[in-house]
CSV table of all heavy atoms in Angstrom, one decimal:
chain,number,residue,atom,x,y,z
A,1,ALA,N,0.8,-1.2,0.0
A,1,ALA,CA,0.0,0.0,0.0
A,1,ALA,C,0.9,1.3,0.0
A,1,ALA,O,0.5,2.3,-0.6
A,1,ALA,CB,-0.9,0.0,1.2
A,2,ALA,N,2.0,1.2,0.7
A,2,ALA,CA,2.8,2.4,0.8
A,2,ALA,C,3.7,2.6,-0.4
A,2,ALA,O,4.0,3.8,-0.7
A,2,ALA,CB,3.7,2.3,2.1
A,3,HIS,N,4.1,1.6,-1.1
A,3,HIS,CA,5.0,1.7,-2.2
A,3,HIS,C,4.6,1.0,-3.5
A,3,HIS,O,5.4,0.6,-4.3
A,3,HIS,CB,6.4,1.1,-1.8
A,3,HIS,CG,7.0,1.7,-0.6
A,3,HIS,ND1,7.6,2.9,-0.6
A,3,HIS,CD2,7.1,1.3,0.7
A,3,HIS,CE1,8.1,3.3,0.6
A,3,HIS,NE2,7.8,2.3,1.4
A,4,GLY,N,3.2,0.9,-3.6
A,4,GLY,CA,2.7,0.2,-4.8
A,4,GLY,C,3.2,0.7,-6.1
A,4,GLY,O,3.6,-0.1,-7.0
A,5,ALA,N,3.2,2.0,-6.3
A,5,ALA,CA,3.6,2.6,-7.6
A,5,ALA,C,5.1,2.3,-7.9
A,5,ALA,O,5.4,2.0,-9.0
A,5,ALA,CB,3.3,4.1,-7.5
A,6,ARG,N,5.9,2.4,-6.9
A,6,ARG,CA,7.3,2.2,-7.1
A,6,ARG,C,7.6,0.7,-7.4
A,6,ARG,O,8.4,0.4,-8.2
A,6,ARG,CB,8.1,2.6,-5.8
A,6,ARG,CG,9.6,2.5,-6.0
A,6,ARG,CD,10.1,3.7,-6.7
A,6,ARG,NE,11.6,3.6,-6.9
A,6,ARG,CZ,12.2,3.2,-8.0
A,6,ARG,NH1,11.5,2.8,-9.0
A,6,ARG,NH2,13.5,3.2,-8.0
A,7,LEU,N,6.9,-0.2,-6.7
A,7,LEU,CA,7.0,-1.6,-6.9
A,7,LEU,C,6.5,-2.0,-8.3
A,7,LEU,O,7.2,-2.8,-9.0
A,7,LEU,CB,6.2,-2.4,-5.9
A,7,LEU,CG,6.7,-2.4,-4.5
A,7,LEU,CD1,5.7,-2.8,-3.5
A,7,LEU,CD2,7.9,-3.4,-4.4
A,8,ALA,N,5.5,-1.4,-8.8
A,8,ALA,CA,5.0,-1.6,-10.1
A,8,ALA,C,5.9,-1.1,-11.2
A,8,ALA,O,6.1,-1.8,-12.2
A,8,ALA,CB,3.6,-0.9,-10.3
A,9,ALA,N,6.6,0.0,-10.9
A,9,ALA,CA,7.6,0.5,-11.9
A,9,ALA,C,8.8,-0.4,-12.0
A,9,ALA,O,9.3,-0.7,-13.1
A,9,ALA,CB,8.0,1.9,-11.4
A,10,ILE,N,9.3,-0.9,-10.8
A,10,ILE,CA,10.4,-1.8,-10.8
A,10,ILE,C,10.0,-3.1,-11.5
A,10,ILE,O,10.8,-3.7,-12.3
A,10,ILE,CB,10.9,-2.1,-9.4
A,10,ILE,CG1,11.5,-0.8,-8.8
A,10,ILE,CG2,12.0,-3.2,-9.4
A,10,ILE,CD1,11.8,-0.9,-7.3
A,11,TYR,N,8.8,-3.6,-11.3
A,11,TYR,CA,8.3,-4.8,-11.9
A,11,TYR,C,8.4,-4.7,-13.4
A,11,TYR,O,8.8,-5.7,-14.1
A,11,TYR,CB,6.8,-5.0,-11.4
A,11,TYR,CG,6.2,-6.3,-12.0
A,11,TYR,CD1,6.4,-7.5,-11.5
A,11,TYR,CD2,5.3,-6.2,-13.1
A,11,TYR,CE1,5.8,-8.7,-12.0
A,11,TYR,CE2,4.7,-7.3,-13.7
A,11,TYR,CZ,4.9,-8.5,-13.1
A,11,TYR,OH,4.3,-9.6,-13.6
A,12,GLU,N,8.0,-3.6,-14.0
A,12,GLU,CA,8.1,-3.4,-15.4
A,12,GLU,C,9.5,-3.2,-15.9
A,12,GLU,O,9.9,-3.7,-16.9
A,12,GLU,CB,7.2,-2.2,-15.8
A,12,GLU,CG,5.7,-2.4,-15.7
A,12,GLU,CD,5.2,-3.6,-16.4
A,12,GLU,OE1,5.7,-3.9,-17.6
A,12,GLU,OE2,4.3,-4.3,-15.9
A,13,THR,N,10.3,-2.5,-15.1
A,13,THR,CA,11.7,-2.3,-15.5
A,13,THR,C,12.5,-3.6,-15.6
A,13,THR,O,13.4,-3.7,-16.4
A,13,THR,CB,12.4,-1.3,-14.5
A,13,THR,OG1,11.7,-0.1,-14.5
A,13,THR,CG2,13.8,-1.0,-14.9
A,14,MET,N,12.2,-4.5,-14.7
A,14,MET,CA,12.9,-5.8,-14.6
A,14,MET,C,12.4,-6.8,-15.6
A,14,MET,O,12.9,-7.9,-15.7
A,14,MET,CB,12.8,-6.3,-13.2
A,14,MET,CG,13.5,-5.5,-12.2
A,14,MET,SD,15.3,-5.4,-12.4
A,14,MET,CE,15.6,-3.6,-12.4
A,15,ARG,N,11.4,-6.4,-16.4
A,15,ARG,CA,10.9,-7.4,-17.4
A,15,ARG,C,11.9,-7.6,-18.5
A,15,ARG,O,12.5,-6.6,-19.0
A,15,ARG,CB,9.6,-6.8,-18.0
A,15,ARG,CG,8.9,-7.8,-18.9
A,15,ARG,CD,7.7,-7.1,-19.7
A,15,ARG,NE,6.7,-6.6,-18.8
A,15,ARG,CZ,5.7,-7.3,-18.4
A,15,ARG,NH1,5.5,-8.5,-18.8
A,15,ARG,NH2,4.8,-6.7,-17.5
A,16,GLU,N,12.1,-8.9,-18.8
A,16,GLU,CA,13.1,-9.2,-19.9
A,16,GLU,C,12.4,-9.8,-21.1
A,16,GLU,O,11.7,-10.8,-20.9
A,16,GLU,CB,14.2,-10.1,-19.3
A,16,GLU,CG,15.1,-9.5,-18.3
A,16,GLU,CD,16.3,-10.3,-18.0
A,16,GLU,OE1,16.2,-11.5,-17.8
A,16,GLU,OE2,17.4,-9.7,-18.1
A,17,ALA,N,12.7,-9.3,-22.2
A,17,ALA,CA,12.1,-9.9,-23.5
A,17,ALA,C,13.2,-10.8,-24.1
A,17,ALA,O,14.3,-10.8,-23.8
A,17,ALA,CB,11.8,-8.8,-24.4
A,18,GLY,N,12.7,-11.7,-25.0
A,18,GLY,CA,13.6,-12.6,-25.6
A,18,GLY,C,13.8,-13.9,-24.9
A,18,GLY,O,13.1,-14.2,-24.0
A,19,ASP,N,14.8,-14.6,-25.4
A,19,ASP,CA,15.1,-15.9,-24.8
A,19,ASP,C,15.6,-15.9,-23.4
A,19,ASP,O,16.2,-14.9,-23.0
A,19,ASP,CB,16.1,-16.7,-25.7
A,19,ASP,CG,15.5,-16.9,-27.1
A,19,ASP,OD1,14.2,-17.0,-27.2
A,19,ASP,OD2,16.3,-17.1,-28.1
A,20,PHE,N,15.5,-17.0,-22.7
A,20,PHE,CA,16.0,-17.1,-21.3
A,20,PHE,C,17.5,-17.0,-21.3
A,20,PHE,O,18.2,-17.6,-22.2
A,20,PHE,CB,15.5,-18.4,-20.8
A,20,PHE,CG,16.2,-18.8,-19.5
A,20,PHE,CD1,15.8,-18.2,-18.3
A,20,PHE,CD2,17.3,-19.7,-19.4
A,20,PHE,CE1,16.4,-18.6,-17.1
A,20,PHE,CE2,17.9,-20.0,-18.2
A,20,PHE,CZ,17.4,-19.4,-17.1
A,21,ARG,N,18.0,-16.2,-20.4
A,21,ARG,CA,19.5,-16.1,-20.2
A,21,ARG,C,19.8,-16.6,-18.8
A,21,ARG,O,19.3,-16.0,-17.8
A,21,ARG,CB,20.0,-14.7,-20.5
A,21,ARG,CG,19.8,-14.3,-21.9
A,21,ARG,CD,20.5,-13.0,-22.2
A,21,ARG,NE,20.0,-11.9,-21.5
A,21,ARG,CZ,19.0,-11.1,-21.8
A,21,ARG,NH1,18.3,-11.3,-23.0
A,21,ARG,NH2,18.6,-10.1,-21.1
A,22,PRO,N,20.8,-17.5,-18.7
A,22,PRO,CA,21.1,-18.0,-17.3
A,22,PRO,C,22.2,-17.2,-16.6
A,22,PRO,O,22.6,-17.7,-15.5
A,22,PRO,CB,21.7,-19.4,-17.7
A,22,PRO,CG,22.3,-19.3,-19.0
A,22,PRO,CD,21.5,-18.2,-19.7
A,23,ASP,N,22.6,-16.1,-17.1
A,23,ASP,CA,23.7,-15.3,-16.4
A,23,ASP,C,23.2,-14.7,-15.1
A,23,ASP,O,22.0,-14.6,-14.9
A,23,ASP,CB,24.2,-14.2,-17.3
A,23,ASP,CG,23.1,-13.2,-17.8
A,23,ASP,OD1,22.4,-13.6,-18.7
A,23,ASP,OD2,23.0,-12.2,-17.1
A,24,ALA,N,24.1,-14.3,-14.3
A,24,ALA,CA,23.8,-13.8,-12.9
A,24,ALA,C,22.9,-12.6,-13.0
A,24,ALA,O,22.0,-12.4,-12.2
A,24,ALA,CB,25.1,-13.6,-12.1
A,25,GLY,N,23.3,-11.7,-13.9
A,25,GLY,CA,22.5,-10.4,-14.0
A,25,GLY,C,21.1,-10.7,-14.3
A,25,GLY,O,20.2,-10.1,-13.7
A,26,SER,N,20.8,-11.6,-15.3
A,26,SER,CA,19.4,-11.9,-15.6
A,26,SER,C,18.7,-12.6,-14.5
A,26,SER,O,17.5,-12.3,-14.2
A,26,SER,CB,19.4,-12.8,-16.9
A,26,SER,OG,20.0,-12.1,-18.0
A,27,ALA,N,19.4,-13.4,-13.8
A,27,ALA,CA,18.8,-14.1,-12.7
A,27,ALA,C,18.4,-13.1,-11.6
A,27,ALA,O,17.3,-13.3,-10.9
A,27,ALA,CB,19.7,-15.2,-12.1
A,28,GLY,N,19.3,-12.1,-11.3
A,28,GLY,CA,18.9,-11.1,-10.3
A,28,GLY,C,17.7,-10.3,-10.7
A,28,GLY,O,16.9,-10.0,-9.9
């Protein structure tokens, strides 16, 4: 409730398109 907008923005920012990548950055 307190940080919903920020959480939603990060959720979209962390979205990855394309094929699965097993590297540490993608996993994070």
